Amino acid sequence: MKKQSRLALFPLFILLLLMTAGETGSAKSKPGTEKWCAQQIFSRKDSHIEESLKGLTLSEKVGEMLIAQIEAHYSGSYDKEYQLLSRLVQEGKIGGIMFLKGDAFSAAMLANHFQSIAPRPLLMSADMERGVAMRLSGATEFPPNMAVAATQDPELAALMAKAIAEEAKIVGLHQNYAPTVDLNSNPLNPIINTRSFGDRIPLTITMSNAVIKGLQSHGMIATAKHFPGHGNVTIDSHISLPLLQADRQELDAYELKPFKAAIEQGVISIMIGHLAVPKLTGTLEPASISKTIVTDLLRHDLGFTGLIITDALNMKALYNGENVPEISVKAVQAGNDLLLFSPDPELAHSSIVKAVEEGVIPMEQIDASVRRILQAKQWLEIDNRKLVNLNRIKDEINPESHRTLAQTITSRAITLAGDANHYLPLNREASSGNVLNIILQDKTNSETGKGYSKKLDHYYAATHIRIDPDTDSLRYANATELATRASAVLVTSFVKALSGSGTLKLTEKQQQFIHSLTGIVPKEKPLIFVSFGTPYIINYFPEITTYLCTYSENDSSEEMAVEVLKGNLTPQGMLPVSLQEPSRLNGTSLQ
């Protein structure tokens, strides 16, 4: 009888166990349920927002949709750009401002000025992929996304995002045009490159979602870009129109996955890229002005409820010097809520107003966009923190804790992609004090690599020679002679990315010289390639088998590279991309 009772109770025990497990699982918040998620921000019905919307004129509504830009340098009240933007703000013809290059203190001063004269709170923004310092000097500079991905540690990505949000808010910013969630599947991509988290879907999703959470949980709008995916192109959209040759099935299987994950995570904003997707749209119309992509795919098929913003409208993939009215109206018709960096925001404003008045753009569409903008501004609580405290900037914009975090990411990211002949570490005694450091550049700048050279000199007796596009025959001959006599040769590359057309920017002579080194330097002597930029450059010099990559050029990455050479730091980074042999690069010329 006891045995039967126990058996009878067993199903009840299982049921209770499952119920408990369900309760435990629900205790941990599901994606999209946090207060900082788009699903929450844009689903609320708020009578105050509706009243505000009804109280706006057509001109004011269109103004809310335009994000103008300004250099973050305060040049005084007589500056023409400052005066123009001040007038547009006061007239309600713009609803936000993006900061370009400048300094943190000037940016804060300008933010306070524009907010103080605006009839409604402004949405202040900047592209801060690598931190506020990417635009404003004085802040903390972080490594690019690819370096962060090389650490394989999403906690570091989240901490970086939190630090960026904290510094951005100090100068009055509300939206970061990051993270870049494009999968950089094409080594010939000239513009995404190290800005991506790599070409692997799971890693990109993990890292980008960590950044989204880190930004938005600390009061900063994150922006996933560049929809529907800018990673598999060979043209820079700042220069011309790139083509993404993928159909819907291919997009679903690859490019769209990080965007879908970002939407599920609750990203508040998504930026549309200026690239054509002809197999999806049937035309060469840029995605940013395509209703098929913006409204049908992103808004309807993927169910994105947040803010949709164009990439900068001054980019040559879209702007031809005289088509501001056309691209402005088309961008709204496509379904964008925010139009970024118009070459002429006042002309864009009047063109959109006219299109609404003539029935070309429905008023209901304008209202829907402005409602979302007001919802985002309400979540940001801009009314409660319109002005920033200028006295905080000097002490809080670049704290030691953030600098330490940036150094940690840099040290964890440095990657040894190959060392077939075991040249590392580069022993000082074995090198006989005769190390040749070849500084390889695709631009002519005599300052590049100087800090790195000095760091090498602290430990090695090194000779440094610069090989740039202007190098003459005499210097090549000198470099060859030095390489012949050196006991170890370092090729230190400062090539950040490929050219705008997806080709290597090194001249034919530069490439021939680097190729010749394996014939000049005996195998028993170390020949080491160090890249302070794109990891893909080694594709062009596969005969060099020891390859170290930091993904970026700054004091910290240079210092860490030297520590690896010395043997004081073991590289922990993992390549987040697949390197391809030159023969597999679609037959593209290397010159």
Side-chain angles (χ1 to χ4, degrees), residues 507-526:
T507 66
E508 187 174 351
K509 283 186 177 181
Q510 285 178 294
Q511 294 181 53
Q512 287 175 348
F513 172 71
I514 300 302
H515 284 305
S516 74
L517 289 174
T518 51
I520 296 170
V521 182
K523 191 173 181 179
E524 65 270 15
K525 293 183 179 181

Side-chain angles (χ1 to χ4, degrees), residues 480-537:
T480 300
E481 176 63 23
L482 289 170
T484 303
R485 292 190 280 107
S487 58
V489 175
L490 302 176
V491 180
T492 306
S493 170
F494 289 89
V495 178
K496 294 181 180 179
L498 301 177
S499 71
S501 58
T503 57
L504 189 62
K505 288 184 281 188
L506 298 176
T507 66
E508 187 174 351
K509 283 186 177 181
Q510 285 178 294
Q511 294 181 53
Q512 287 175 348
F513 172 71
I514 300 302
H515 284 305
S516 74
L517 289 174
T518 51
I520 296 170
V521 182
K523 191 173 181 179
E524 65 270 15
K525 293 183 179 181
L527 174 58
I528 302 168
F529 198 105
V530 181
S531 174
F532 288 112
T534 176
Y536 297 113
I537 191 168

Side-chain angles (χ1 to χ4, degrees), residues 168-327:
K169 288 195 292 184
I170 287 171
V171 296
L173 297 174
H174 312 113
Q175 180 166 5
N176 185 4
Y177 298 130
T180 299
V181 305
D182 304 310
L183 292 158
N184 200 83
S185 58
N186 194 329
L188 298 177
N189 194 313
I191 187 60
I192 302 303
N193 197 42
T194 57
R195 297 168 63 195
S196 80
F197 289 109
D199 59 14
R200 293 157 196 173
I201 295 169
L203 181 61
T204 295
I205 288 174
T206 298
M207 289 297 177
S208 57
N209 278 2
V211 170
I212 291 166
K213 182 177 180 179
L215 288 170
Q216 294 185 181
S217 63
H218 291 89
M220 178 71 43
I221 294 177
T223 310
K225 62 184 185 183
H226 306 79
F227 191 85
H230 211 304
N232 190 18
V233 300
T234 58
I235 298 292
D236 179 357
S237 51
H238 293 85
I239 299 172
S240 187
L241 180 66
L243 296 182
L244 177 59
Q245 295 288 5
D247 58 27
R248 178 59 191 273
Q249 186 176 359
E250 291 168 326
L251 288 170
D252 280 328
Y254 194 68
E255 277 87 359
L256 293 180
K257 285 197 171 182
F259 289 100
K260 291 176 180 178
I263 292 169
E264 184 180 2
Q265 177 78 340
V267 71
I268 294 172
S269 178
I270 290 180
M271 179 179 285
I272 311 296
H274 300 315
L275 67 158
V277 194
K279 291 181 181 179
L280 191 64
T281 64
T283 71
L284 291 179
E285 188 173 55
S288 50
I289 56 172
S290 167
K291 186 174 183 292
T292 300
I293 290 175
V294 179
T295 296
D296 297 344
L297 177 56
L298 179 56
R299 186 69 80 193
H300 293 160
D301 290 2
L302 302 192
F304 181 57
T305 59
L307 292 173
I308 302 177
I309 184 169
T310 68
D311 204 344
L313 294 178
N314 71 327
M315 293 165 64
K316 292 180 182 178
L318 190 67
Y319 177 54
N320 66 10
E322 53 186 26
N323 61 345
V324 167
E326 179 189 355
I327 62 176

Side-chain angles (χ1 to χ4, degrees), residues 10 26 114 166 178 269 312 316-317 339 372 465 515 548 553 566 581:
F10 185 73
S26 64
F114 291 124
E166 290 171 350
S269 178
K316 292 180 182 178
L339 278 60
R372 283 187 282 267
I465 190 164
H515 284 305
L548 194 66
E553 171 201 347
K566 290 160 60 177
E581 295 295 329

Side-chain angles (χ1 to χ4, degrees), residues 73 83 181 361 405 408 423 480 495 536 568 576:
H73 292 292
Q83 290 179 339
V181 305
I361 299 173
L405 174 61
T408 299
Y423 290 147
T480 300
V495 178
Y536 297 113
N568 294 339

